[in-house]
Amino acid sequence: MDIHRHPELLDRLAAAYAIGTLRGGARRRFETLARERAPVRAAALIWQSRVASMTELEQAVAPSPVVWTRIENLVRAEREQAAMLAAALKARAQPAGAWWRNLALWRGAAGAGVLATVLSVVTTVGLRDRLGAQIHELQAKLSAQPQIEYVAVLNDDQASASMLVTFDPKNRKLTLQRVGGYQEASDKSLQLWALPPGGKPRSLGVLSQEKLLQLAAGEGDVREVPALAVSLEPKGGVPSEIGPTGPVLFKGALIQKML
């Protein structure tokens, strides 16, 4: 199935990939598709940026003392069970007929195993409840996320993703996130260009050196624009009517998402 033709499925897979619940062969297949298809790669980068932004804004919370108590109980139970098992194995080496003297030992080992199981279940239930609360909180935060209708992954000449560009028509904002390691010199600026079909490149703005930035733009600036590019220009950029004067460092197709 071409998942890039099924936006809802692609969005769910990209979310699971970013959160870490997409695992094994499914994760590897998703990564292969992301390398081969720009819409899949863009969806993954969008969700990774969402999750990263939420974790950066999240305040650090100290674990509850109950959590540490459960961890200590589990560790202690595992140690006791290991000690019981070692003693039982040693007892097996004793002469025949002596096994009955170790009945209490076996009972103790069984009790330790039951205790460890109970503690494990209690801890798992607690983790499940906390995970459920975190998922509800995540859904609430995502409902406030900007609406994205256009997305582009700009690659360098080695086909490596260097910049993620999204457009929110409701707030008239272009958001640019650097995902590569490129950093221009202090006397240079990066400039974003729209590449309309059959027309001259049109400047969409000059980029600062921040990893994440926004530019004001209207939907008319990106509608029916098949591609975007970033060029290296003198400090402060060049006028739009002149067009790019430096080398084009990154470029990529601008895709309108199906909502």
Side-chain angles (χ1 to χ4, degrees):
M1 181 193 303
D2 292 336
I3 61 172
H4 65 286
R5 300 185 186 276
H6 302 270
E8 293 184 1
L9 174 60
L10 174 57
D11 193 63
R12 289 198 298 268
L13 289 173
Y17 178 80
I19 296 172
T21 55
L22 188 66
R23 299 176 180 174
R27 188 176 186 86
R28 291 190 293 272
R29 286 192 296 272
F30 185 84
E31 290 173 343
T32 300
L33 286 172
R35 287 192 293 269
E36 296 174 351
R37 297 188 178 276
V40 180
R41 186 161 63 249
L45 288 172
I46 288 172
W47 267 98
Q48 286 173 335
S49 64
R50 284 175 172 175
V51 174
S53 63
M54 284 186 289
T55 55
E56 288 174 0
L57 295 175
E58 193 73 26
Q59 294 183 352
V61 178
S64 167
V66 176
V67 175
W68 292 116
T69 302
R70 289 174 177 169
I71 293 174
E72 290 172 357
N73 288 339
L74 282 172
V75 172
R76 186 184 307 110
E78 289 181 356
R79 288 177 178 172
E80 292 176 354
Q81 190 174 16
M84 294 288 187
L85 181 59
L89 291 174
K90 182 178 180 181
R92 289 182 61 183
Q94 295 178 1
W99 63 270
W100 57 271
R101 289 195 295 268
N102 295 290
L103 182 58
L105 178 66
W106 285 103
R107 287 175 176 170
V114 171
L115 176 61
T117 302
V118 170
L119 290 172
S120 177
V121 170
V122 170
T123 303
T124 301
V125 170
L127 290 173
R128 183 190 62 191
D129 293 341
R130 289 196 297 276
L131 180 59
Q134 290 172 357
I135 289 174
H136 287 303
E137 183 180 0
L138 177 62
Q139 290 173 337
K141 289 180 178 179
L142 291 178
S143 64
Q145 289 285 336
Q147 183 183 19
I148 296 173
E149 282 197 18
Y150 296 84
V151 61
V153 179
L154 307 187
N155 301 321
D156 59 18
D157 55 3
Q158 302 297 320
S160 297
S162 298
M163 192 168 295
L164 173 66
V165 184
T166 57
F167 176 65
D168 174 14
K170 181 179 179 180
N171 295 309
R172 300 172 62 85
K173 293 290 186 181
L174 272 170
T175 300
L176 297 92
Q177 181 177 359
R178 301 188 186 216
V179 295
Y182 182 85
Q183 187 66 55
E184 66 273 21
S186 58
D187 61 340
K188 298 289 184 180
S189 292
L190 297 184
Q191 192 160 354
L192 179 67
W193 300 88
L195 305 179
K200 293 180 58 177
R202 183 174 66 251
S203 176
L204 295 176
V206 178
L207 282 57
S208 68
Q209 294 191 341
E210 297 176 357
K211 190 174 181 65
L212 182 68
L213 69 146
Q214 290 186 326
L215 299 174
E219 189 165 4
D221 295 325
V222 297
R223 186 188 296 117
E224 298 181 0
V225 172
L228 301 176
V230 172
S231 65
L232 183 65
E233 303 294 345
K235 188 69 174 179
V238 296
S240 181
E241 57 270 17
I242 294 179
T245 63
V248 174
L249 301 179
F250 318 126
K251 58 185 178 181
L254 180 63
I255 303 165
Q256 184 174 10
K257 295 182 62 180
M258 294 179 291
L259 301 179

